[in-house]
Amino acid sequence: MKLFYLVLFMTVSFFTGSKLSFKEEEAISTVELERINSRITSIKSMIGTDPKYNQKIAFLIDMKVPSGKNRSFVYDLKKNEVIDQGLVAHGSGSETGVRGVLKFSNAPNSNCTSLGRYAVGKTYKGIFGKAYRLAGLEETNNNALKRAIVLHHYSAVPYEEQDYYISNSHGCPMINEQFFKRIEKIIDNSKSNILMDIYY
């Protein structure tokens, strides 16, 4: 059933830009939607009319959601709706040994995920192939460039939701290659930096 929603989502929402159906919205819990909406308010306030930021699209990653479930969201700031979603790994250093409880750090070599807002920057080719540099915009993530925290794909990240926790990164938001291909089209077609908000 989840696969059906995803295929429907791809063919209807992503390519035509039409509004999510009721059933598709059910795939995102009410709590998750409330958390997304609370973050969008501050993102819109930060972006304002600043031309260096994309005024239409923002990326959100909700670290309260288990890594085996969709917690990376592409948000249309004009239509006020989620237009795509997928799995994303967190840093191995964020694991506490307690299921579902994460820790976060901005320290070099911590292998932790860092919370906060990032500007998605230029692309380059790294050990995982195409990737995007992330510039941390807050004290909680301002070491992102120094730590080589980037948005990239990795073959071990599943495409569909799982009932178990997925593999970890070294602190990067690491996603499935199919999801990455959809994301890269958005980033590459943007004339300004897209904001990414990682929150807990």
Side-chain angles (χ1 to χ4, degrees):
M1 190 63 70
K2 181 66 179 177
L3 180 60
F4 167 77
Y5 291 158
L6 192 51
V7 171
L8 182 63
F9 175 83
M10 281 294 297
T11 56
V12 178
S13 295
F14 187 74
F15 291 110
T16 68
S18 62
K19 191 174 177 64
L20 292 174
S21 74
F22 175 75
K23 286 187 177 180
E24 286 158 353
E25 288 186 317
E26 282 186 327
I28 304 175
S29 73
T30 302
V31 172
E32 287 167 1
L33 285 173
E34 288 175 355
R35 287 168 57 76
I36 288 170
N37 289 334
S38 69
R39 303 302 296 190
I40 288 300
T41 300
S42 63
I43 286 174
K44 286 184 175 181
S45 176
M46 177 181 176
I47 291 174
T49 56
D50 193 333
K52 72 172 175 282
Y53 294 122
N54 188 300
Q55 304 287 314
K56 178 176 172 55
I57 295 292
F59 300 148
L60 297 96
I61 299 177
D62 187 346
M63 286 294 162
K64 283 277 189 186
V65 178
S67 65
K69 302 300 179 183
N70 289 337
R71 58 178 179 176
S72 179
F73 306 103
V74 179
Y75 194 90
D76 188 318
L77 296 166
K78 299 298 185 184
K79 296 181 179 179
N80 291 313
E81 63 184 16
V82 173
I83 59 171
D84 204 351
Q85 57 184 303
L87 302 182
V88 59
H90 56 255
S92 59
S94 289
E95 295 288 350
T96 62
V98 179
R99 187 176 175 88
V101 178
L102 301 178
K103 64 179 179 180
F104 305 96
S105 175
N106 190 31
N109 303 314
S110 67
N111 288 339
C112 285
T113 293
S114 296
L115 300 179
R117 286 172 287 203
Y118 298 78
V120 180
K122 294 181 179 180
T123 183
Y124 74 100
K125 189 169 184 179
I127 60 173
F128 299 107
K130 187 175 183 179
Y132 295 92
R133 301 186 194 281
L134 298 175
L137 303 176
E138 303 183 56
E139 288 186 10
T140 54
N141 64 4
N142 58 11
N143 285 327
L145 292 175
K146 183 189 301 183
R147 295 178 59 207
I149 300 301
V150 301
L151 173 64
H152 68 88
H153 63 82
Y154 186 53
S155 58
V157 178
Y159 182 61
E160 296 183 16
E161 291 187 315
Q162 312 291 320
D163 290 328
Y164 52 84
Y165 284 71
I166 64 174
S167 60
N168 296 135
S169 69
H170 288 168
C172 299
M174 183 172 75
I175 62 179
N176 173 272
E177 187 172 6
Q178 288 176 264
F179 185 38
F180 184 87
K181 286 179 178 178
R182 301 201 299 269
I183 295 291
E184 72 175 329
K185 289 180 182 178
I186 297 172
I187 300 173
D188 292 347
N189 288 327
S190 178
K191 295 180 180 179
S192 51
N193 293 118
I194 294 175
L195 275 186
M196 172 184 287
D197 186 15
I198 301 179
Y199 55 98
Y200 187 71

